[in-house]
Amino acid sequence: MSTTTAYDRSDERLVQDNSPQALVRGFVRRMRSGDLGMVPVITGLLIIWVVFYLLNPRFLSSRNLVEISLDSATIGMISLGIVLVLLLGEIDLSVGSVSGVGGAVLATLLVYQDWPLLLAIAAGLCSGLAIGTLYGLIYTRFGVPSFVISLAGLLAFLGVQLWVLGPRGTVNLPVNSKLVDFANFWYLSPLASYVLAVLIGLAYFGIRLRAMARRRAANLSVPTARSVAVRAGLMVAAMLGGAYYLNIDRGVGYLPLLWIGLIVLVDVVLRRTKGGRYVFAVGGNEEAARRAGIPVNRVYLTVFALCSTFAALGGVLAAGRLQSVAQSSGGTDTNLMAIAAAVIGGTSLFGGRGSAYAALFGMLVLQSITSGLNLIGVQAEVRYMVTGLVLLLAVTIDSLSRRARRSSGRA
């Protein structure tokens, strides 16, 4: 065993916890310093599930949980793009309209122009990519605030959606479309879901071992292999239990699986790549990032383009889920739900702090509230009030944690 002291031992924020006691101490230390992470939203989600289960046991039935996972995926996909924009301290108010444009382009080309499904999907996604690129160019070239750009885009692209749909108003997708099957009827077999859970656990264990080797070579602190094995084991056990429970009904749907897969991919890109770290750097302090040589304009351009592309993807998937695209697609509360999910999930409105998993847990909170209130027969107006209160609570927690981090010198 090496007798040298790890370089990062002098900075408690960088130390890897190498025992259960150190893990608990590190957790308490982060909570006290205002580094709350995903703790508030996960705690809130558990409370919501317990309360609605007590009010109506059907809430936690496997059938209802499968429905929640399917209904969360479409707007949750849009919320994933919102997370990226919020990490820069910006906002996009037009994601609902952009999702409507993406769905309208797909449906029109597929049904009336007889395009192959994959080409129609690609065209829908390209419409979102073009819109986001336009936003990025206007923001970086002319300095127009993102609030104003996207507010104008909300109106303009609603008009584009109506123009694409034309006088028909509603386009119904073919009932035998693969997109409809993917969004509604395709599920992993029970065996495949269990194998996938084990493979994810093994991949996590292997990646952590590789990271430990690299940290050890750099003379940095490392967790013990046993603690990593315990974490991987708990992860596999949780996923196997979840898969078993969902398999009592229809199982793990392809649609939520795609959503979660993209969340994991975005999280890896944000935390493990240079481009991802640039996003946090620009969101934390743009001027400092610019002086450090980071291509700030390129970061803005990329993030706005990704945000609108995810919005268009959400619109395409929503078209498959609903089997149609109408003039109201992407309207009503789509914008607010996508933004609220990202904020409730823990993404800071002040930029520089957050995680891709905010889109997952924030959307599960909102969809659980909707499902629970529907099961106990509460009207829609109450749902809006409850959602507003939850959003206000999330922003308040974010402000308080930011104040605590500033007090502890970690802001």
Side-chain angles (χ1 to χ4, degrees):
M1 179 181 293
S2 174
T3 57
T4 59
T5 302
Y7 292 146
D8 57 350
R9 286 293 179 193
S10 59
D11 190 341
E12 63 181 17
R13 296 172 299 178
L14 305 178
V15 174
Q16 293 283 311
D17 303 313
N18 54 10
S19 68
Q21 293 81 2
L23 190 66
V24 172
R25 286 197 299 271
F27 176 77
V28 173
R29 185 175 61 245
R30 289 192 292 273
M31 292 299 102
R32 286 179 174 174
S33 64
D35 188 7
L36 303 180
M38 307 298 296
V39 172
V41 66
I42 293 176
T43 304
L45 183 62
L46 293 176
I47 292 174
I48 289 169
W49 282 13
V50 170
V51 169
F52 281 123
Y53 174 74
L54 294 176
L55 293 173
N56 189 332
R58 282 195 300 158
F59 176 77
L60 287 184
S61 66
S62 58
R63 182 176 185 79
N64 194 52
L65 291 183
V66 170
E67 286 298 327
I68 289 176
S69 68
L70 292 172
D71 292 338
S72 299
T74 53
I75 300 182
M77 194 70 78
I78 302 173
S79 185
L80 181 57
I82 291 292
V83 168
L84 296 175
V85 172
L86 289 180
L87 287 176
L88 291 179
E90 302 296 334
I91 191 69
D92 187 339
L93 300 176
S94 67
V95 285
S97 297
V98 175
S99 72
V101 170
V105 169
L106 157 82
T108 303
L109 295 178
L110 180 66
V111 175
Y112 296 113
Q113 303 298 325
D114 292 326
W115 281 34
L117 176 61
L118 290 180
L119 283 181
I121 292 175
L125 299 184
C126 286
S127 67
L129 178 63
I131 293 170
T133 304
L134 176 64
Y135 285 175
L137 289 173
I138 295 174
Y139 181 86
T140 54
R141 296 295 177 88
F142 305 109
V144 181
S146 59
F147 174 83
V148 178
I149 300 172
S150 57
L151 186 60
L154 184 152
L155 298 173
F157 292 112
L158 176 59
V160 171
Q161 177 187 347
L162 300 181
W163 175 72
V164 172
L165 290 175
R168 297 175 290 268
T170 299
V171 180
N172 295 314
L173 301 188
V175 292
N176 59 349
S177 169
K178 297 295 184 185
L179 180 61
V180 174
D181 290 341
F182 175 84
N184 293 281
F185 307 118
W186 284 1
Y187 299 89
L188 286 179
S189 67
L191 177 60
S193 63
Y194 301 142
V195 171
L196 180 62
V198 173
L199 290 178
I200 291 174
L202 291 175
Y204 171 80
F205 186 64
I207 291 172
R208 292 293 296 171
L209 286 183
R210 183 183 178 192
M212 288 169 56
R214 295 174 64 180
R215 290 183 63 86
R216 190 177 290 110
N219 196 24
L220 298 173
S221 61
V222 294
T224 62
R226 186 176 61 179
S227 68
V228 173
V230 170
R231 291 183 193 181
L234 292 175
M235 179 188 297
V236 171
M239 288 189 293
L240 288 175
Y244 169 77
Y245 196 64
L246 294 179
N247 285 329
I248 294 175
D249 189 62
R250 285 157 288 175
V252 181
Y254 278 38
L255 175 59
L257 205 58
L258 171 66
W259 176 43
I260 296 173
L262 286 177
I263 288 175
V264 173
L265 176 62
V266 170
D267 178 70
V268 171
V269 170
L270 285 174
R271 293 189 300 109
R272 302 291 182 185
T273 68
K274 186 167 64 175
R277 290 189 283 271
Y278 283 176
V279 174
F280 287 103
V282 174
N285 190 321
E286 179 184 335
E287 185 56 32
R290 195 185 303 278
R291 290 172 182 267
I294 293 176
V296 173
N297 286 348
R298 192 188 307 166
V299 173
Y300 279 115
L301 192 63
T302 304
V303 168
F304 278 117
L306 283 175
C307 178
S308 293
T309 304
F310 278 121
L313 177 57
V316 167
L317 296 175
R321 178 83 175 128
L322 300 174
Q323 305 181 26
S324 67
V325 179
Q327 293 178 340
S328 61
S329 297
T332 59
D333 56 356
T334 302
N335 269 332
L336 297 178
M337 291 283 281
I339 297 171
V343 176
I344 291 171
T347 308
S348 175
L349 286 170
F350 305 100
R353 297 192 69 83
S355 163
Y357 291 103
L360 173 64
F361 290 107
M363 198 61 233
L364 286 178
V365 166
L366 293 180
Q367 199 57 47
S368 297
I369 291 173
T370 301
S371 175
L373 292 179
N374 287 337
L375 282 177
I376 60 176
V378 174
Q379 300 299 317
E381 57 266 25
V382 178
R383 178 172 69 86
Y384 286 120
M385 287 188 276
V386 172
T387 303
L389 289 174
V390 172
L391 176 60
L392 179 62
L393 178 63
V395 176
T396 304
I397 291 174
D398 178 37
S399 298
L400 292 176
S401 65
R402 180 180 172 85
R403 185 182 301 173
R405 290 196 303 272
R406 190 182 297 118
S407 301
S408 61
R410 301 185 64 173

